[in-house]
């Protein structure tokens, strides 16, 4: 800690800022994951509706095709679920995904393929909201005077 104090004038502040940055990044990642899981849930519900319509001979070929693609995504997710149970899951799942990309096999469900785009969109929306709040703060008359 003595060396750290010599390198930084405010080591406690640096630690607090790092901790805050970590919690914000974790919250953003959890929101992206929540969005992906809700999309997967909605697609699964649509798949079940399409299959129930198929049993009554009311579904189109396009609906059945989309339902079959969603079923394949669901099976992919279940396959990754097996790795989540195993020890060292934080290591094995990224390795499996990376090996799948190298071999040319899509291991992740379709709703998880564009997570980086979702993170960028979430950051962009947060930045816009922050700018709007700042603009509203400027536009408000100061009643305290």
């Amino acid at each position: 800690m003595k060396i750290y104090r010599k390198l930084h004038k405010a080591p406690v502040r640096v630690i607090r800022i790092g901790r805050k940055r970590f919690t914000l990044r974790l919250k953003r990642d959890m929101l992206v994951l929540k969005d992906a899981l809700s999309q997967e849930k909605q697609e699964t519900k649509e798949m079940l509706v399409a299959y129930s319509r198929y049993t009554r001979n009311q579904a189109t070929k396009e609906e059945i095709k989309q339902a079959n693609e969603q079923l394949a995504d669901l099976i992919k997710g279940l396959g990754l679920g097996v790795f989540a149970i195993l020890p060292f899951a934080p290591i094995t799942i990224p390795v499996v995904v990376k090996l799948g990309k190298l071999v040319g096999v899509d291991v992740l469900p379709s709703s998880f393929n564009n997570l980086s785009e979702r993170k960028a969109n979430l950051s962009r929306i947060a930045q816009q909201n922050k700018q709007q709040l700042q603009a509203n703060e400027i536009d408000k008359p100061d009643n305290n005077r």
Side-chain angles (χ1 to χ4, degrees):
M1 189 69 177
K2 289 181 181 181
I3 296 172
Y4 195 67
R5 281 191 183 174
K6 288 182 180 179
L7 294 175
H8 292 285
K9 290 184 179 180
V12 175
R13 181 173 173 249
V14 171
I15 291 171
R16 284 183 184 156
I17 290 171
R19 190 177 298 154
K20 183 74 170 179
R21 183 181 301 132
F22 175 75
T23 56
L24 289 175
R25 187 180 314 134
L26 184 66
K27 284 181 184 180
R28 185 180 65 222
D29 290 346
M30 290 296 118
L31 286 173
V32 169
L33 182 63
K34 178 183 172 185
D35 185 39
L37 289 174
S38 67
Q39 178 185 349
E40 193 70 28
K41 175 182 159 186
Q42 183 64 33
E43 290 175 354
T44 303
K45 284 182 180 180
E46 292 171 3
M47 174 194 73
L48 292 174
V49 168
Y51 282 145
S52 67
R53 291 186 61 187
Y54 177 74
T55 59
R56 292 177 270 146
N57 293 328
Q58 296 175 347
T60 63
K61 290 187 184 260
E62 184 178 313
E63 287 177 336
I64 296 301
K65 182 182 174 189
Q66 288 177 350
N68 287 339
E69 289 174 2
Q70 178 57 29
L71 182 63
D73 278 350
L74 195 62
I75 292 171
K76 287 178 188 178
L78 291 174
L80 281 178
V82 170
F83 288 109
I85 295 171
L86 294 175
F88 305 109
I91 298 170
T92 56
I93 292 176
V95 169
V96 168
V97 171
K98 192 66 139 179
L99 286 175
K101 285 182 182 179
L102 289 175
V103 176
V105 177
D106 191 20
V107 179
L108 291 174
S110 62
S111 61
F112 291 94
N113 285 339
N114 55 1
L115 288 180
S116 59
E117 294 173 12
R118 290 181 187 196
K119 282 184 183 179
N121 287 338
L122 189 64
S123 297
R124 193 176 316 117
I125 290 170
Q127 186 68 24
Q128 289 172 353
N129 289 342
K130 185 177 179 182
Q131 289 173 354
Q132 287 176 352
L133 285 174
Q134 289 175 350
N136 289 340
E137 294 270 331
I138 292 171
D139 292 341
K140 283 184 181 177
D142 194 11
N143 294 335
N144 294 338
R145 291 183 188 178

